[in-house]
Amino acid sequence: MFKKNLGSIIQMGESDEETAVPEAVPAEPEPVAMDEDVWASEEEKAAKRALQEKTSVIGETAAFTGDLAAKGPVVVKGSVEGNISCEDKVTIAGTVTGNITGKSVQVEAGGRVRGNIAASDDLRLEAGASVEGDLAGREIGLEGALAGNVSCSGSLTLGPGSTVTGDISTKDLTTALGARVNGRVEMQE
Protein backbone atom coordinates (compact mmCIF):
# COMPACT_ATOMS: atom_id res chain seq x y z
CA MET A 1 0.00 0.00 0.00
CA PHE A 2 1.28 3.49 -0.82
CA LYS A 3 0.28 7.10 -0.41
CA LYS A 4 1.14 9.70 -3.00
CA ASN A 5 0.55 13.40 -2.33
CA LEU A 6 -0.65 15.25 -5.45
CA GLY A 7 -1.23 18.72 -4.05
CA SER A 8 -4.59 18.69 -2.34
CA ILE A 9 -5.32 15.13 -3.54
CA ILE A 10 -3.86 12.11 -1.81
CA GLN A 11 -3.72 9.04 -4.02
CA MET A 12 -3.83 5.68 -2.34
CA GLY A 13 -3.36 2.37 -4.09
CA GLU A 14 -2.17 -1.22 -3.84
CA SER A 15 0.93 -0.90 -6.05
CA ASP A 16 3.55 1.67 -6.83
CA GLU A 17 2.33 1.92 -10.43
CA GLU A 18 1.22 5.37 -11.46
CA THR A 19 -2.46 5.69 -12.07
CA ALA A 20 -4.15 8.54 -13.88
CA VAL A 21 -5.64 11.16 -11.63
CA PRO A 22 -8.60 12.95 -13.09
CA GLU A 23 -7.87 16.57 -13.80
CA ALA A 24 -9.91 19.09 -11.87
CA VAL A 25 -12.34 20.77 -14.22
CA PRO A 26 -12.37 24.53 -13.69
CA ALA A 27 -15.76 26.00 -12.97
CA GLU A 28 -17.29 27.97 -15.83
CA PRO A 29 -17.35 31.68 -15.02
CA GLU A 30 -20.77 33.29 -15.00
CA PRO A 31 -21.45 35.06 -18.27
CA VAL A 32 -21.25 38.85 -18.07
CA ALA A 33 -23.74 40.93 -20.01
CA MET A 34 -21.97 42.96 -22.70
CA ASP A 35 -23.36 46.25 -21.39
CA GLU A 36 -22.66 45.45 -17.75
CA ASP A 37 -19.64 47.01 -16.09
CA VAL A 38 -17.53 44.24 -14.54
CA TRP A 39 -15.95 46.75 -12.12
CA ALA A 40 -19.29 48.08 -10.84
CA SER A 41 -20.49 47.09 -7.40
CA GLU A 42 -23.61 44.97 -7.02
CA GLU A 43 -25.51 48.08 -5.86
CA GLU A 44 -24.45 49.98 -8.99
CA LYS A 45 -25.46 47.06 -11.23
CA ALA A 46 -28.84 46.80 -9.48
CA ALA A 47 -29.43 50.56 -9.90
CA LYS A 48 -28.55 50.33 -13.61
CA ARG A 49 -30.94 47.40 -14.12
CA ALA A 50 -33.71 49.27 -12.29
CA LEU A 51 -33.17 52.32 -14.51
CA GLN A 52 -33.27 50.14 -17.65
CA GLU A 53 -36.57 48.67 -16.50
CA LYS A 54 -38.06 52.20 -16.17
CA THR A 55 -36.76 53.40 -19.57
CA SER A 56 -39.20 53.73 -22.47
CA VAL A 57 -37.51 52.79 -25.76
CA ILE A 58 -38.73 53.38 -29.29
CA GLY A 59 -36.65 50.83 -31.20
CA GLU A 60 -34.78 51.39 -34.47
CA THR A 61 -37.50 49.81 -36.59
CA ALA A 62 -40.42 51.34 -34.67
CA ALA A 63 -42.49 54.35 -35.74
CA PHE A 64 -44.61 56.01 -33.06
CA THR A 65 -47.34 58.53 -33.89
CA GLY A 66 -48.90 60.57 -31.09
CA ASP A 67 -47.82 62.40 -27.97
CA LEU A 68 -45.61 60.55 -25.52
CA ALA A 69 -45.48 61.34 -21.78
CA ALA A 70 -43.12 59.52 -19.41
CA LYS A 71 -41.84 59.78 -15.86
CA GLY A 72 -38.73 57.69 -16.51
CA PRO A 73 -36.07 58.10 -19.21
CA VAL A 74 -37.04 57.96 -22.90
CA VAL A 75 -34.78 56.70 -25.70
CA VAL A 76 -35.83 57.21 -29.34
CA LYS A 77 -33.90 55.10 -31.83
CA GLY A 78 -36.70 54.90 -34.40
CA SER A 79 -39.08 57.71 -35.28
CA VAL A 80 -41.66 59.69 -33.34
CA GLU A 81 -44.22 61.98 -34.89
CA GLY A 82 -45.63 63.88 -31.93
CA ASN A 83 -44.56 65.70 -28.79
CA ILE A 84 -42.42 64.11 -26.07
CA SER A 85 -42.81 65.19 -22.45
CA CYS A 86 -40.54 63.55 -19.90
CA GLU A 87 -39.70 64.10 -16.23
CA ASP A 88 -36.27 62.52 -16.75
CA LYS A 89 -33.69 62.27 -19.56
CA VAL A 90 -34.64 62.10 -23.24
CA THR A 91 -32.12 60.62 -25.68
CA ILE A 92 -32.70 60.97 -29.42
CA ALA A 93 -30.75 58.73 -31.79
CA GLY A 94 -33.53 58.55 -34.42
CA THR A 95 -35.95 61.19 -35.68
CA VAL A 96 -38.56 63.27 -33.89
CA THR A 97 -41.07 65.59 -35.51
CA GLY A 98 -42.55 67.46 -32.57
CA ASN A 99 -41.58 69.36 -29.45
CA ILE A 100 -39.48 67.79 -26.69
CA THR A 101 -39.47 68.74 -23.00
CA GLY A 102 -37.44 66.96 -20.37
CA LYS A 103 -35.13 67.32 -17.41
CA SER A 104 -32.16 66.53 -19.66
CA VAL A 105 -32.14 66.11 -23.45
CA GLN A 106 -29.41 64.62 -25.62
CA VAL A 107 -29.55 64.41 -29.41
CA GLU A 108 -26.93 61.87 -30.44
CA ALA A 109 -24.95 61.66 -33.68
CA GLY A 110 -27.41 60.84 -36.46
CA GLY A 111 -30.36 62.11 -34.41
CA ARG A 112 -32.75 64.53 -36.13
CA VAL A 113 -35.36 66.76 -34.49
CA ARG A 114 -37.84 69.06 -36.20
CA GLY A 115 -39.39 70.94 -33.29
CA ASN A 116 -38.49 72.92 -30.19
CA ILE A 117 -36.49 71.40 -27.33
CA ALA A 118 -36.72 72.60 -23.72
CA ALA A 119 -34.61 71.07 -20.94
CA SER A 120 -34.90 72.14 -17.32
CA ASP A 121 -31.29 71.05 -16.76
CA ASP A 122 -28.82 70.25 -19.54
CA LEU A 123 -29.21 69.91 -23.29
CA ARG A 124 -26.59 68.30 -25.57
CA LEU A 125 -26.46 68.24 -29.35
CA GLU A 126 -23.68 65.88 -30.46
CA ALA A 127 -21.62 66.17 -33.64
CA GLY A 128 -23.60 64.74 -36.55
CA ALA A 129 -26.96 65.63 -34.96
CA SER A 130 -29.32 68.30 -36.30
CA VAL A 131 -32.24 70.29 -34.93
CA GLU A 132 -34.69 72.56 -36.75
CA GLY A 133 -36.31 74.46 -33.90
CA ASP A 134 -35.56 76.56 -30.84
CA LEU A 135 -33.50 75.33 -27.87
CA ALA A 136 -33.96 76.31 -24.22
CA GLY A 137 -31.99 75.00 -21.26
CA ARG A 138 -29.79 75.81 -18.28
CA GLU A 139 -26.56 74.25 -19.60
CA ILE A 140 -26.33 73.73 -23.37
CA GLY A 141 -23.54 72.04 -25.35
CA LEU A 142 -23.69 72.16 -29.15
CA GLU A 143 -21.51 70.12 -31.48
CA GLY A 144 -24.02 69.60 -34.30
CA ALA A 145 -26.21 71.79 -36.53
CA LEU A 146 -29.02 74.01 -35.27
CA ALA A 147 -31.45 76.05 -37.36
CA GLY A 148 -33.25 77.98 -34.63
CA ASN A 149 -32.78 80.28 -31.66
CA VAL A 150 -31.00 79.42 -28.39
CA SER A 151 -32.12 80.60 -24.94
CA CYS A 152 -29.65 79.50 -22.28
CA SER A 153 -30.03 80.54 -18.62
CA GLY A 154 -26.55 79.26 -17.71
CA SER A 155 -23.58 78.47 -19.92
CA LEU A 156 -23.59 77.70 -23.63
CA THR A 157 -20.68 75.83 -25.23
CA LEU A 158 -20.29 75.77 -29.00
CA GLY A 159 -17.98 72.97 -30.11
CA PRO A 160 -15.65 73.05 -33.13
CA GLY A 161 -18.15 71.52 -35.55
CA SER A 162 -21.23 73.37 -34.34
CA THR A 163 -23.34 75.54 -36.64
CA VAL A 164 -26.05 77.85 -35.31
CA THR A 165 -28.34 79.64 -37.73
CA GLY A 166 -30.37 81.79 -35.37
CA ASP A 167 -30.12 84.16 -32.43
CA ILE A 168 -28.43 83.30 -29.12
CA SER A 169 -29.29 84.59 -25.65
CA THR A 170 -27.07 83.32 -22.80
CA LYS A 171 -25.30 84.29 -19.57
CA ASP A 172 -21.99 82.63 -20.47
CA LEU A 173 -20.67 81.65 -23.89
CA THR A 174 -17.68 79.47 -24.77
CA THR A 175 -16.82 78.84 -28.40
CA ALA A 176 -14.24 76.55 -29.92
CA LEU A 177 -12.28 77.37 -33.04
CA GLY A 178 -14.45 76.34 -35.99
CA ALA A 179 -17.84 77.05 -34.35
CA ARG A 180 -20.11 79.07 -36.63
CA VAL A 181 -22.94 81.43 -35.70
CA ASN A 182 -25.13 83.13 -38.26
CA GLY A 183 -27.30 85.34 -36.08
CA ARG A 184 -27.31 87.77 -33.20
CA VAL A 185 -25.70 87.03 -29.82
CA GLU A 186 -27.08 88.65 -26.65
CA MET A 187 -25.27 88.25 -23.35
CA GLN A 188 -27.61 88.26 -20.34
CA GLU A 189 -26.63 89.84 -17.03
Side-chain angles (χ1 to χ4, degrees), residues 79-99:
S79 67
V80 171
E81 195 167 318
N83 299 321
I84 299 173
S85 176
C86 179
E87 294 178 14
D88 208 320
K89 182 176 182 177
V90 179
T91 304
I92 308 298
T95 60
V96 174
T97 303
N99 298 327

Side-chain angles (χ1 to χ4, degrees), residues 1 12 32 40-41 60 70 110 114 117 130 148 150-151 163 165-167:
M1 176 116 164
M12 297 178 72
V32 176
S41 68
E60 289 181 28
R114 179 176 272 163
I117 301 175
S130 70
V150 178
S151 177
T163 304
T165 305
D167 296 338

Side-chain angles (χ1 to χ4, degrees), residues 36-113:
E36 195 169 291
D37 184 4
V38 295
W39 302 109
S41 68
E42 290 304 315
E43 293 82 22
E44 291 170 326
K45 289 177 184 177
K48 185 176 180 181
R49 282 190 295 273
L51 180 64
Q52 287 173 339
E53 290 172 2
K54 293 178 185 176
T55 302
S56 300
V57 178
I58 306 297
E60 289 181 28
T61 59
F64 181 85
T65 302
D67 293 343
L68 175 64
K71 290 185 182 216
V74 173
V75 176
V76 177
K77 295 181 180 182
S79 67
V80 171
E81 195 167 318
N83 299 321
I84 299 173
S85 176
C86 179
E87 294 178 14
D88 208 320
K89 182 176 182 177
V90 179
T91 304
I92 308 298
T95 60
V96 174
T97 303
N99 298 327
I100 301 170
T101 58
K103 179 179 178 185
S104 172
V105 179
Q106 179 172 342
V107 183
E108 295 183 343
R112 306 278 181 256
V113 176

